[in-house]
PDB file of all heavy atoms in Angstrom:
ATOM      1  N   ILE N 468     101.497 -30.952 212.780  1.00  0.00           N
ATOM      2  CA  ILE N 468     102.883 -30.569 212.453  1.00  0.00           C
ATOM      3  C   ILE N 468     102.928 -29.985 211.051  1.00  0.00           C
ATOM      4  O   ILE N 468     102.334 -30.475 210.086  1.00  0.00           O
ATOM      5  CB  ILE N 468     103.807 -31.847 212.439  1.00  0.00           C
ATOM      6  CG1 ILE N 468     103.758 -32.546 213.803  1.00  0.00           C
ATOM      7  CG2 ILE N 468     105.244 -31.510 212.002  1.00  0.00           C
ATOM      8  CD1 ILE N 468     104.478 -33.883 213.874  1.00  0.00           C
ATOM      9  N   LEU N 469     103.658 -28.867 210.918  1.00  0.00           N
ATOM     10  CA  LEU N 469     103.884 -28.250 209.612  1.00  0.00           C
ATOM     11  C   LEU N 469     105.386 -28.324 209.349  1.00  0.00           C
ATOM     12  O   LEU N 469     106.172 -27.895 210.156  1.00  0.00           O
ATOM     13  CB  LEU N 469     103.367 -26.773 209.623  1.00  0.00           C
ATOM     14  CG  LEU N 469     103.781 -25.898 208.405  1.00  0.00           C
ATOM     15  CD1 LEU N 469     103.306 -26.508 207.106  1.00  0.00           C
ATOM     16  CD2 LEU N 469     103.263 -24.489 208.593  1.00  0.00           C
ATOM     17  N   PHE N 470     105.722 -28.809 208.190  1.00  0.00           N
ATOM     18  CA  PHE N 470     107.099 -28.938 207.775  1.00  0.00           C
ATOM     19  C   PHE N 470     107.348 -28.015 206.587  1.00  0.00           C
ATOM     20  O   PHE N 470     106.751 -28.199 205.528  1.00  0.00           O
ATOM     21  CB  PHE N 470     107.416 -30.377 207.423  1.00  0.00           C
ATOM     22  CG  PHE N 470     108.811 -30.669 206.987  1.00  0.00           C
ATOM     23  CD1 PHE N 470     109.915 -30.101 207.692  1.00  0.00           C
ATOM     24  CD2 PHE N 470     109.122 -31.512 205.931  1.00  0.00           C
ATOM     25  CE1 PHE N 470     111.229 -30.348 207.299  1.00  0.00           C
ATOM     26  CE2 PHE N 470     110.415 -31.795 205.538  1.00  0.00           C
ATOM     27  CZ  PHE N 470     111.520 -31.221 206.198  1.00  0.00           C
ATOM     28  N   ILE N 471     108.195 -27.009 206.763  1.00  0.00           N
ATOM     29  CA  ILE N 471     108.469 -26.071 205.674  1.00  0.00           C
ATOM     30  C   ILE N 471     109.960 -26.020 205.347  1.00  0.00           C
ATOM     31  O   ILE N 471     110.648 -25.065 205.729  1.00  0.00           O
ATOM     32  CB  ILE N 471     107.905 -24.637 205.975  1.00  0.00           C
ATOM     33  CG1 ILE N 471     108.102 -24.277 207.482  1.00  0.00           C
ATOM     34  CG2 ILE N 471     106.442 -24.511 205.626  1.00  0.00           C
ATOM     35  CD1 ILE N 471     107.769 -22.795 207.761  1.00  0.00           C
ATOM     36  N   PRO N 472     110.421 -27.049 204.704  1.00  0.00           N
ATOM     37  CA  PRO N 472     111.884 -27.073 204.436  1.00  0.00           C
ATOM     38  C   PRO N 472     112.235 -26.117 203.303  1.00  0.00           C
ATOM     39  O   PRO N 472     111.456 -25.729 202.530  1.00  0.00           O
ATOM     40  CB  PRO N 472     112.065 -28.536 203.933  1.00  0.00           C
ATOM     41  CG  PRO N 472     110.747 -28.864 203.327  1.00  0.00           C
ATOM     42  CD  PRO N 472     109.718 -28.156 204.115  1.00  0.00           C
ATOM     43  N   ASP N 473     113.574 -25.752 203.233  1.00  0.00           N
ATOM     44  CA  ASP N 473     114.004 -25.051 202.045  1.00  0.00           C
ATOM     45  C   ASP N 473     114.662 -26.050 201.099  1.00  0.00           C
ATOM     46  O   ASP N 473     114.760 -27.250 201.415  1.00  0.00           O
ATOM     47  CB  ASP N 473     114.961 -23.871 202.387  1.00  0.00           C
ATOM     48  CG  ASP N 473     116.213 -24.312 203.121  1.00  0.00           C
ATOM     49  OD1 ASP N 473     116.520 -25.553 203.110  1.00  0.00           O
ATOM     50  OD2 ASP N 473     116.915 -23.510 203.694  1.00  0.00           O
ATOM     51  N   VAL N 474     115.142 -25.545 199.966  1.00  0.00           N
ATOM     52  CA  VAL N 474     115.664 -26.422 198.953  1.00  0.00           C
ATOM     53  C   VAL N 474     116.847 -27.281 199.445  1.00  0.00           C
ATOM     54  O   VAL N 474     116.972 -28.469 199.169  1.00  0.00           O
ATOM     55  CB  VAL N 474     116.066 -25.624 197.669  1.00  0.00           C
ATOM     56  CG1 VAL N 474     116.759 -26.473 196.676  1.00  0.00           C
ATOM     57  CG2 VAL N 474     114.842 -24.996 197.049  1.00  0.00           C
ATOM     58  N   GLN N 475     117.678 -26.617 200.302  1.00  0.00           N
ATOM     59  CA  GLN N 475     118.873 -27.266 200.849  1.00  0.00           C
ATOM     60  C   GLN N 475     118.492 -28.520 201.685  1.00  0.00           C
ATOM     61  O   GLN N 475     119.217 -29.510 201.669  1.00  0.00           O
ATOM     62  CB  GLN N 475     119.610 -26.213 201.664  1.00  0.00           C
ATOM     63  CG  GLN N 475     120.908 -26.635 202.243  1.00  0.00           C
ATOM     64  CD  GLN N 475     121.943 -27.079 201.127  1.00  0.00           C
ATOM     65  OE1 GLN N 475     121.848 -26.616 200.021  1.00  0.00           O
ATOM     66  NE2 GLN N 475     122.827 -27.981 201.520  1.00  0.00           N
ATOM     67  N   GLU N 476     117.339 -28.418 202.415  1.00  0.00           N
ATOM     68  CA  GLU N 476     116.915 -29.521 203.218  1.00  0.00           C
ATOM     69  C   GLU N 476     116.469 -30.720 202.395  1.00  0.00           C
ATOM     70  O   GLU N 476     116.662 -31.864 202.769  1.00  0.00           O
ATOM     71  CB  GLU N 476     115.709 -29.122 204.113  1.00  0.00           C
ATOM     72  CG  GLU N 476     116.073 -28.231 205.284  1.00  0.00           C
ATOM     73  CD  GLU N 476     117.033 -28.892 206.277  1.00  0.00           C
ATOM     74  OE1 GLU N 476     116.765 -29.975 206.778  1.00  0.00           O
ATOM     75  OE2 GLU N 476     118.103 -28.281 206.478  1.00  0.00           O
ATOM     76  N   ILE N 477     115.805 -30.407 201.313  1.00  0.00           N
ATOM     77  CA  ILE N 477     115.241 -31.494 200.492  1.00  0.00           C
ATOM     78  C   ILE N 477     116.311 -32.060 199.518  1.00  0.00           C
ATOM     79  O   ILE N 477     116.347 -33.241 199.255  1.00  0.00           O
ATOM     80  CB  ILE N 477     113.970 -30.984 199.734  1.00  0.00           C
ATOM     81  CG1 ILE N 477     112.879 -30.582 200.757  1.00  0.00           C
ATOM     82  CG2 ILE N 477     113.432 -32.049 198.754  1.00  0.00           C
ATOM     83  CD1 ILE N 477     112.370 -31.693 201.594  1.00  0.00           C
ATOM     84  N   TYR N 478     117.074 -31.161 198.972  1.00  0.00           N
ATOM     85  CA  TYR N 478     118.134 -31.596 198.026  1.00  0.00           C
ATOM     86  C   TYR N 478     119.524 -31.143 198.515  1.00  0.00           C
ATOM     87  O   TYR N 478     120.132 -30.292 197.878  1.00  0.00           O
ATOM     88  CB  TYR N 478     117.826 -30.945 196.661  1.00  0.00           C
ATOM     89  CG  TYR N 478     116.469 -31.346 196.010  1.00  0.00           C
ATOM     90  CD1 TYR N 478     115.397 -30.472 196.004  1.00  0.00           C
ATOM     91  CD2 TYR N 478     116.342 -32.611 195.436  1.00  0.00           C
ATOM     92  CE1 TYR N 478     114.204 -30.832 195.416  1.00  0.00           C
ATOM     93  CE2 TYR N 478     115.118 -32.952 194.860  1.00  0.00           C
ATOM     94  CZ  TYR N 478     114.034 -32.090 194.815  1.00  0.00           C
ATOM     95  OH  TYR N 478     112.867 -32.472 194.257  1.00  0.00           O
ATOM     96  N   PRO N 479     119.981 -31.684 199.656  1.00  0.00           N
ATOM     97  CA  PRO N 479     121.240 -31.200 200.234  1.00  0.00           C
ATOM     98  C   PRO N 479     122.442 -31.305 199.283  1.00  0.00           C
ATOM     99  O   PRO N 479     123.382 -30.597 199.348  1.00  0.00           O
ATOM    100  CB  PRO N 479     121.418 -32.087 201.468  1.00  0.00           C
ATOM    101  CG  PRO N 479     120.436 -33.183 201.357  1.00  0.00           C
ATOM    102  CD  PRO N 479     119.394 -32.783 200.445  1.00  0.00           C
TER     103      PRO N 479
END
Side-chain angles (χ1 to χ4, degrees):
I468 301 173
L469 168 59
F470 181 43
I471 38 172
D473 62 13
V474 173
Q475 184 60 26
E476 284 300 303
I477 297 296
Y478 298 106

